[in-house]
């Protein structure tokens, strides 16, 4: 039986006429949250910014069912947004930002975040995708976390979808990843010998008083405090449901490989992996990534090929090999979200980028 997975997606909301970010008032938020009656057991919920909304899917084992339900939920959200004069867009960063600080959703936790890091909260215009993979216990989760570390840069490169910031091309494929590096705990998690060392390190971080709680640890992959899952937070939100699910089942296959067919891989240094992560954020699939275990600087697509080889047995066993291969071929031929955004921007600026996202949202 395949391991379970679930997906959380964050979306920006834009005014349908002005194309500016559209913070929701309480009544509008309530109208969108009413969709929960239609999308159960998944749900729609508010996010950190008042101009954001989030979809959390049901728990899946079958990839095709996940695509169908995620696409249907996106389409329901899109239709309800249209009724209140806004549209959702699956972009890691908006192409342009308002001059004033971001308006934060009225919730106690978000208020606490704003008090802790007001300068960061004021411009936290970032939308990601969090993928949860079911794990049986804490020790298995730590093994999966260790096994995912060398592949996190490649996942960032494949999912890059945030090249713009304040109306300019940043020169980065995933500017969202770079923005997140400013927070207290982020990037590649350390290697942990066992579950006890994981918990001990977690307590060390919490004792610094630089985080609200364990849920504020922002590694690109971490163990969930709410669910029996490992949570991979590396990806920008994806333009289409198919791309989102392809990444999810690829990550599932990596976790399967680590836990069920554990090849011996050398432990890579966190510093080398952090550099590879930066490279992935800078150039996406069009640049090179440092192979932390060998010290070689290789084309990102070669690194992706190594990742696919590594996870190939689990991909075949889960029936996901052709789906993932098709997604990678699409990214190689047509570009990731970042490259598609740049093509649109060159043809029509910010509006063309948003039209592109609007067109692909329900796909």
């Amino acid at each position: 039986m395949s391991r379970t997975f679930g997906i959380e997606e964050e979306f920006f909301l834009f005014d349908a006429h002005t194309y500016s970010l559209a913070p929701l008032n309480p009544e509008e938020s309530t109208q969108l949250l009413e969709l929960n009656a239609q999308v159960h057991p998944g749900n729609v919920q508010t996010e950190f910014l008042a101009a954001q909304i989030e979809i959390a899917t049901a728990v899946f084992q079958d990839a095709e069912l996940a695509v169908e339900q995620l696409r249907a939920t996106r389409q329901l959200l899109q239709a309800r947004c249209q009724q209140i004069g806004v549209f959702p867009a699956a972009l890691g960063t908006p192409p342009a930002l308002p001059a004033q600080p971001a308006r934060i959703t009225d919730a106690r936790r978000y208020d606490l975040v704003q008090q802790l890091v007001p300068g960061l909260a004021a411009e936290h215009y970032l939308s990601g995708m969090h993928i949860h993979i079911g794990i049986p216990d804490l020790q298995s989760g730590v093994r999966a976390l260790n096994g995912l570390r060398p592949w996190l840069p490649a996942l960032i490169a494949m999912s890059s979808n945030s090249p713009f910031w304040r109306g300019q091309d940043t020169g980065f494929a995933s500017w969202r990843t770079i923005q997140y590096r400013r927070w207290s705990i982020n990037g590649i998690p350390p290697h942990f010998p066992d579950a006890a060392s994981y918990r001990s390190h977690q307590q060390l971080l919490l004792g610094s008083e630089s985080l609200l709680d364990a849920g504020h640890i922002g590694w690109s992959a971490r163990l969930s405090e709410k669910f029996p899952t490992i949570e991979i937070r590396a990806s920008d939100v994806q333009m289409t449901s198919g791309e989102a699910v392809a990444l999810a089942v690829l990550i599932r296959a990596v976790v399967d490989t680590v836990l069920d067919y554990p090849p011996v891989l050398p432990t890579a240094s966190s510093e080398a992996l952090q550099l590879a992560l930066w490279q992935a954020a800078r150039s996406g699939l069009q640049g090179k990534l440092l192979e932390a275990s060998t010290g070689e600087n290789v084309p990102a697509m070669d690194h992706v090929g190594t990742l696919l080889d590594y996870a190939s047995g689990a991909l075949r066993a889960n029936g996901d090999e052709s789906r993932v291969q098709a997604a990678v071929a699409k990214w190689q031929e047509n570009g990731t979200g970042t490259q598609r955004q740049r093509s649109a921007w060159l043809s029509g600026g910010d509006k063309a980028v948003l039209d592109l996202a609007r067109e692909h949202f329900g796909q």
Side-chain angles (χ1 to χ4, degrees), residues 272-352:
L273 289 173
Q274 294 284 20
L275 178 56
L277 182 148
W278 187 91
Q279 290 175 305
R282 171 66 176 82
S283 302
L285 291 178
Q286 296 181 300
K288 292 186 176 182
L289 298 179
L290 179 67
E291 287 273 14
S293 59
T294 66
E296 296 181 37
N297 210 33
V298 302
M301 281 305 306
D302 289 357
H303 190 65
V304 170
T306 303
L307 168 57
L308 294 182
D309 288 343
Y310 174 79
S312 60
L315 285 171
R316 282 193 296 272
N318 292 332
D320 295 328
E321 188 172 34
S322 61
R323 179 182 303 278
V324 171
Q325 288 176 341
V328 171
K330 175 183 175 182
W331 291 323
Q332 189 169 18
E333 181 178 356
N334 301 325
T336 65
T338 280
Q339 291 156 275
R340 282 173 271 156
Q341 282 195 57
R342 282 183 171 140
S343 294
W345 193 70
L346 289 173
S347 68
D350 298 348
K351 185 177 184 299

Side-chain angles (χ1 to χ4, degrees), residues 74-98:
R74 280 186 175 213
Q75 291 171 354
L76 283 169
L77 175 62
Q78 195 170 36
R80 183 60 62 90
C81 283
Q82 185 175 3
Q83 294 174 5
I84 60 176
V86 302
F87 66 89
L91 303 173
T93 54
L97 302 180

Side-chain angles (χ1 to χ4, degrees), residues 4 72-73 86 119 141 149 158 168-169 204 206 212 221 230 239 246 251 278 291 327 329:
T4 59
T73 303
V86 302
R149 292 173 74 247
M158 286 187 282
Q168 300 293 325
D169 190 331
L204 172 70
L206 294 175
L212 294 180
I230 183 168
M239 280 198 191
I251 291 170
W278 187 91
E291 287 273 14

